[in-house]
């Protein structure tokens, strides 16, 4: 039997597209902050998990994984960028 977690997460994946699309109209300086703040509820939702979504939709699981990974990449980038700049100086 398939778990209900994947079914519960699919609406979240659909809302990501809507939320991200609406945030692109924000000024470019605030765009990153707006996108990061939109991602927080999804990151903390236990149903927003690629493994649980995979049984329902491979594409949705891939999108979920990409969303989680791109936010993590940006967080690491923001941590490393000042250190990289300090090394150059």
């Amino acid at each position: 039997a398939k778990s209900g977690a994947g079914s519960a997460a699919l609406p979240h994946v659909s809302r990501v597209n809507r939320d991200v699309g609406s945030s692109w109209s924000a000024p470019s300086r605030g765009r990153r902050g707006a996108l990061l703040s939109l991602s927080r509820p999804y990151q903390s939702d236990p149903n927003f998990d690629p493994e649980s979504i995979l049984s329902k939709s491979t594409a949705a699981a891939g999108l979920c994984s990409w969303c989680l990974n791109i936010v993590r990449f940006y967080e690491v980038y923001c941590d490393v960028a000042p250190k990289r700049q300090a090394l150059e100086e």
Side-chain angles (χ1 to χ4, degrees):
K2 294 183 178 182
S3 84
S7 297
L10 287 176
H12 294 296
V13 173
S14 300
R15 284 195 303 266
V16 168
N17 188 34
R18 184 197 66 221
D19 292 345
V20 169
S22 66
S23 72
W24 283 112
S25 62
S28 62
R29 271 187 171 268
R31 186 175 301 155
R32 290 182 191 118
L35 290 172
L36 287 175
S37 67
L38 286 171
S39 72
R40 298 296 178 222
Y42 299 107
Q43 287 179 296
S44 62
D45 188 333
N47 291 320
F48 196 70
D49 173 53
E51 292 298 319
S52 63
I53 298 172
L54 186 60
S55 64
K56 305 297 180 192
S57 169
T58 305
L63 179 59
C64 176
S65 179
W66 180 86
C67 290
L68 294 171
N69 288 320
I70 200 68
V71 168
R72 182 65 186 136
F73 171 83
Y74 182 71
E75 290 169 344
V76 169
Y77 174 81
C78 288
D79 185 46
V80 171
K83 296 172 185 175
R84 183 179 287 173
Q85 186 177 10
L87 281 174
E88 290 176 4
E89 294 173 356

